Amino acid sequence: MYLATTGRRDAPPAPSGVRRRVPGTVLALGAVSLVTDVSSEMVTAVLPLYLVLGLGLSPLQFGLLDGLSTGATALVRLLGGTAADRGGRHKQVGGLGYALSACSRLGLLLAGGATGWIATAIAADRLGKGVRTAPRDALITLHSPPDDLGRAFGTHRAMDTTGALLGPLAAFALLWATADAYDAVFAVSFCVGAFGVLLWVLLVPGRAREAAPRPAGPAAPRARGGLLAGLRSPGYRRIVLCAGLLGAATVGDSFLYLLLQRRLEFDATWFPFLPLGAAAVYLLLAVPAGRLADRIGRRGPLLYGHGALLLAYGLLLTPLPDAAVLLGVLALLGVFYAATDGVLMALTGPFLTEGRQAGGLALVQTAQALARLGAAVAFGAVWTAAGPEAALVAALLALTAALVCAARLLPATAPERDAPRPPADAP
């Protein structure tokens, strides 16, 4: 079990082989993410069903809506990260993002069947996520030992994924109890999201405490120049490039779930259960994957995780029994997220200069978001023009090429001079 601790600032490093406790700030952030994910996944689980099967949107229209709403977060991620770094306002900026996402549920509730208003509400939710993600991940980086970043992010993502498991269950229960009343899902999602904002206000510290004294050696560089100044570092520049390359070949979960529903032809009522399989695997593997990344290096797990996604694409094209395809795709999708989501942030953290943690993480996330915008639109267009099999083949080839490039470009380790400051609340 992972226990919180504030620890003494002058506490010596943990002896080799002794497991250090996860900082209390990481657990507080995990609790907020757990509650917020219950809220967001309640909507995410039913939204493809609502839009494609309920309102009759085509795959291309859904791809445009999903891709554009994701891409709308790009500029906001950068602005949010930059604003959070100025004066250490990570809590204020992150809280604004959580509040915006919670309010977006009211937009869905009031939109009815108007596609334009639905798109606006979805964009507001994605904008809120874009604002909060970099400040939140920067707080994890600032409050965790550099050598334990993988485990810290893995612990946070495991708690986050617990909410992703509970959200679809809550959505299904509401749809069953209210005879498919989507408005009830949106209303309850808003209330849960508001509770997440309250937890953020009460549990998350406003700023990091004074850092522990640094060991003898070169001091970490202070932030100089603008947001793009970090790109002068070859290692960081390669991470940004690879995040974009791999994101451009990543098919969104919603499309994979729609493909599974199309192949298995199960009743639409069971659609909200599909994310549960992937979330369960993610929950089980997030912490072990983070610890493995700390031990062997974060580059390998990141590549292997995308390899699991590649296998999921291929599995959808095979003539295997439907049950095997269903279980295999959901398991591989869970492995993909466990090995890539937090690991990418842990890989990036040591390359960031002092005072630019949120902005540096935001730039990586933005490259990934913009690339996934193009991937969603392209996949939906190919599906509409040539069918789902042709779209999957194209995605499989694109991801293969991206993996080959990333294997050559990703840095293995960060130079000592780029390491972030020691954590404020690690023992």
Side-chain angles (χ1 to χ4, degrees):
M1 177 177 180
Y2 295 99
L3 300 175
T5 182
T6 55
R8 293 183 296 111
R9 288 181 297 168
D10 59 347
S16 177
V18 176
R19 180 179 299 181
R20 287 176 285 200
R21 298 174 180 176
V22 174
T25 298
V26 175
L27 297 182
L29 292 167
V32 174
S33 293
L34 189 158
V35 173
T36 301
D37 243 36
V38 172
S39 171
S40 62
E41 292 301 323
M42 286 179 67
V43 174
T44 301
V46 302
L47 203 56
L49 184 67
Y50 179 56
L51 296 178
V52 176
L53 301 182
L55 299 183
L57 270 64
S58 71
L60 176 57
Q61 290 174 314
F62 178 72
L64 285 168
L65 187 61
D66 184 66
L68 290 175
S69 61
T70 300
T73 67
L75 179 60
V76 176
R77 285 177 189 266
L78 296 176
L79 293 176
T82 302
D85 282 331
R86 291 176 179 171
R89 295 193 294 265
H90 300 94
K91 179 171 183 175
Q92 293 87 337
V93 175
L96 176 63
Y98 279 103
L100 182 59
S101 290
C103 291
S104 72
R105 316 292 185 236
L106 288 179
L108 287 171
L109 187 63
L110 299 174
T115 305
W117 286 108
I118 291 173
T120 301
I122 295 174
D125 175 51
R126 301 294 173 85
L127 289 173
K129 185 173 183 179
V131 168
R132 72 179 185 253
T133 301
R136 181 201 66 199
D137 287 349
L139 284 171
I140 296 174
T141 300
L142 289 168
H143 287 269
S144 303
D147 291 343
D148 286 346
L149 278 176
R151 189 180 65 155
F153 275 102
T155 301
H156 172 269
R157 296 317 196 245
M159 298 178 72
D160 183 271
T161 306
T162 302
L165 272 170
L166 297 176
L169 286 174
F172 177 80
L174 280 170
L175 288 178
W176 177 78
T178 61
D180 295 338
Y182 290 96
D183 286 354
V185 175
F186 300 149
V188 174
S189 174
F190 166 72
C191 295
V192 177
F195 180 59
V197 175
L198 179 63
L199 289 180
W200 176 274
V201 172
L202 296 178
L203 299 181
V204 177
R207 61 175 68 238
R209 293 187 298 277
E210 182 183 355
R214 284 176 114 5
R222 298 293 302 179
R224 294 181 181 179
L227 179 65
L228 301 180
L231 293 176
R232 296 169 187 165
S233 166
Y236 177 68
R237 187 165 61 242
R238 290 182 179 187
I239 291 174
V240 174
L241 176 59
C242 289
L245 285 173
L246 294 170
T250 301
V251 175
D253 298 355
S254 297
F255 273 122
L256 295 181
Y257 297 147
L258 285 172
L259 287 166
L260 283 172
Q261 196 275 337
R262 177 181 178 276
R263 172 166 176 163
L264 275 61
E265 297 181 347
F266 54 79
D267 189 274
T269 307
W270 298 97
F271 191 87
F273 275 118
L274 285 178
L276 296 181
V281 176
Y282 186 8
L283 175 61
L284 291 173
L285 297 182
V287 175
R291 296 182 63 190
L292 179 65
D294 289 336
R295 185 177 300 118
I296 69 172
R298 293 149 191 165
R299 175 180 176 276
L302 184 66
L303 294 173
Y304 299 147
H306 283 88
L309 183 63
L310 185 69
L311 292 177
Y313 292 175
L315 196 57
L316 283 166
L317 294 169
T318 64
L320 292 175
D322 289 345
V325 172
L326 174 64
L327 295 176
V329 169
L330 296 181
L332 289 168
L333 193 58
V335 171
F336 162 67
Y337 279 113
T340 62
D341 188 13
V343 172
L344 176 60
M345 296 296 98
L347 174 66
T348 306
F351 286 89
L352 302 176
T353 56
E354 191 76 21
R356 284 287 183 267
Q357 286 87 354
L361 293 175
L363 189 57
V364 173
Q365 294 160 359
T366 297
Q368 193 175 58
L370 288 176
R372 288 183 175 178
L373 180 156
V377 174
F379 189 85
V382 176
W383 182 344
T384 301
E389 289 78 13
L392 268 176
V393 170
L396 190 148
L397 294 175
L399 183 54
T400 301
L403 270 172
V404 171
C405 293
R408 296 178 61 88
L409 293 174
L410 277 175
T413 57
E416 287 295 327
R417 63 182 179 84
D418 286 334
R421 65 181 177 134
D425 58 349

